Amino acid sequence: MPLFKVPGGWRDMETLAFRVLEEPRCRNTQHHYAYDIVLYLCEKEHVEGGMIFQLLEDLTEMSTMRNCEDIFGYIESKQDILGKPELFARGKLVMLRTCNQLLRRLSKANDVVFCGRIIMFLAHFFPLSERSAVNIKGVFNTSNETKYETQAPEGISIDFNFYKTLWSLQEYFCNPPSLINAPGKWHKFTSGLMIVLNTFEAQPLSDEEGNAHNLEDDAATFNIKYLTSSKLMGLELKDPSFRRHVLVQSLILFDYLKAPGKSEKELPSEAMEEEIKTSEERVKKLLEMTPPKGKDFLCSIEHILERERNWVWWKRDGCPPFEKQPVEKKPVQGGTKKRRPRWRLGNKELSQLWKWADQYPNALTDTQRVCTPSITDYWKPLAEDMDESAGIEAEYHHKNNRVYCWKGLRFSARQDLEGFSRFTEHGIEGVVPLELLPDDVRARYQAKPGERTKRAKKEETKISAQQAEENQIATAASEMDNEGGRADPEASVAPIDTDTRIATVTISQEETPTPEDNQKQSSDTDIAQEAGQMEAETGMIDGETDADVDLDAVG
């Protein structure tokens, strides 16, 4: 339905709207009926949708600040209609420009309430995820300077050094990033803050002084900045609102320094963290002691700071949208629950395998079903990782894959014993065939000629020691056969034969040896064998064998 009854119908309403736009005297009128006409025409798409926004912008530009407040009151009352999608898309930029122009014209010190109304309207008018309203980089308003007296006036009755220290903290409160990586500034700030906190603790406020300053009554004359005259210092110290402003500013600064998601350069040092924690506890204790309702006020501030940390995380995550698409639930047909399917062989995988058996009857008998790769094809990925020119990071190397290495060791044990033997010395990378490696890498795992010679000599020494031991046993046996009839059997028997005879008699006397005797006998035998081997090796080192020594003694 139309907002006003016009006898001439829609054409007369449209003509009236254009007259409102063209007539300068109508722009300063205090009545809103002309705005309603244009808004209704834009809503019903009889005129261009952005016309109402252009009209409001022209009116605010040509009106005084008192009239602008009245025009903005109309904008606030119609924000639900102006925020409709068909109108919002046409005039959101014009409305943003209009509000910013009003904020520039208003005084931040005298028109605090009007500025707050404009900011609240923008927050309601634009969606929550609008990036133009978000301070993505977290830039502080460093242009907000606080000017105070630098020289003490005559006849002052307060500590002027404390006055300068208190107001100098505003330099750090308006620019907290300047304290990071600046030990000199941080030390100066903490020393000044400690002086202020000590003064607040030494001069606590009573409940009577707190109730004497009714904050609700002061809301009408509220000012965004306090006066910095040194003559007012005594009165400001007795004002609970003034103390709360200083203490809350300290908490905001500490919260910024501890904000998550920063780079390593922006994080405070360990010493700074300890000082922040100590100072924060003192500030919270003073806020709790400041009347009226100190505990309730502290709880409210902590809740606000927690919400602020959530906003910081949201901005650093790229401002993701808050709205989530609803999940569509498919209605159940007939109001009955869907029965769980029954599989023929117990589960879906076995039933599918049974079907594949019918489709591919020769799958299990196919010769190419299981194909073992060659050793060179299998180790190619690891050889490419070992090439430094490839630039592959160590955490992505195939040597970190345990299954891959275990399978490769099994293949090498079957197909490449030489490469498999290098595993004990060089690890899994030594098993890779040398022909797959570049020249510079191959030199690390290729055996040197000197090492080969030492290994060959060691093997030859081992073989010579075994041959000498065999010759010694054969010589002893032949001597026993030749001199057995002439000499006394007990005197001519070699020590090893005596031990053997004693062992034989002992075993014959006992029908069933105990496990302890068997263990002792095996240990004696091992010791004898090791002694014989050591003697053989010693003979090789001296250049003669034990067999030669025995022959000389007999002769």
Side-chain angles (χ1 to χ4, degrees), residues 13 23 49 207 296 343 403 419 464:
M13 289 181 65
E23 182 62 35
D207 295 337
D296 297 340
W343 305 105
V403 178
S464 302

Side-chain angles (χ1 to χ4, degrees), residues 201-243:
E201 291 176 352
Q203 301 178 12
L205 297 177
S206 61
D207 295 337
E208 297 179 356
E209 291 176 341
N211 295 327
H213 295 79
N214 194 346
L215 301 180
E216 295 180 357
D217 296 340
D218 295 342
T221 58
F222 173 73
N223 222 336
I224 196 170
K225 291 177 72 72
Y226 279 91
L227 300 177
T228 59
S229 175
S230 58
K231 297 178 181 179
L232 300 175
M233 191 77 261
L235 297 175
E236 288 175 341
L237 287 177
K238 296 180 181 180
D239 186 2
S241 177
F242 178 81
R243 291 195 179 192

Side-chain angles (χ1 to χ4, degrees), residues 309-436:
R309 284 191 289 270
N310 295 335
W311 280 109
V312 171
W313 274 115
W314 176 70
K315 289 192 294 184
R316 289 181 178 171
D317 290 342
C319 303
F322 289 92
E323 298 81 6
K324 293 184 179 180
Q325 298 297 331
V327 179
E328 297 182 359
K329 296 182 179 180
K330 297 181 179 179
V332 181
Q333 298 179 357
T336 58
K337 295 183 179 180
K338 188 176 180 180
R339 297 183 61 182
R340 189 175 180 179
R342 294 183 179 179
W343 305 105
R344 181 180 178 184
L345 298 179
N347 55 46
K348 183 178 179 180
E349 286 74 15
L350 289 177
S351 299
Q352 186 68 28
L353 184 61
W354 185 265
K355 293 180 182 179
W356 287 347
D358 295 337
Q359 298 174 3
Y360 308 101
N362 300 326
L364 296 177
T365 59
D366 189 3
T367 57
Q368 297 182 355
R369 185 175 67 88
V370 179
C371 181
T372 303
S374 62
I375 198 67
T376 54
D377 294 339
Y378 187 83
W379 289 115
K380 271 185 180 179
L382 183 56
E384 293 176 357
D385 296 343
M386 295 169 63
D387 189 2
E388 297 180 356
S389 61
I392 301 175
E393 298 179 3
E395 58 181 339
Y396 300 109
H397 281 201
H398 284 75
K399 65 180 180 181
N400 300 325
N401 189 345
R402 295 184 178 181
V403 178
Y404 175 81
C405 297
W406 178 73
K407 288 182 179 180
L409 288 175
R410 293 194 63 183
F411 292 155
S412 298
R414 294 178 182 177
Q415 303 179 25
D416 185 15
L417 289 177
E418 182 182 356
F420 183 75
S421 64
R422 294 194 297 269
F423 176 75
T424 56
E425 185 177 358
H426 301 288
I428 193 63
E429 294 181 344
V431 186
V432 180
L434 299 177
E435 59 268 16
L436 297 177

Side-chain angles (χ1 to χ4, degrees), residues 83-100:
K84 289 184 177 181
E86 58 271 12
L87 296 179
F88 177 78
R90 301 288 185 87
K92 64 177 183 178
L93 297 180
V94 179
M95 183 56 63
L96 179 62
R97 184 170 62 246
T98 302
C99 293
N100 288 334

Side-chain angles (χ1 to χ4, degrees), residues 37 60 87 93 110 114 126 147 170 183 208 215 228 236 239 266 268 273 317 331 346 363 450 485 503 514-515:
I37 295 174
T60 53
L87 296 179
L93 297 180
N110 299 326
F114 193 11
F126 285 89
K147 298 180 180 179
Q170 298 298 322
E208 297 179 356
L215 301 180
T228 59
E236 288 175 341
D239 186 2
E266 297 177 349
E273 290 180 355
D317 290 342
T514 62

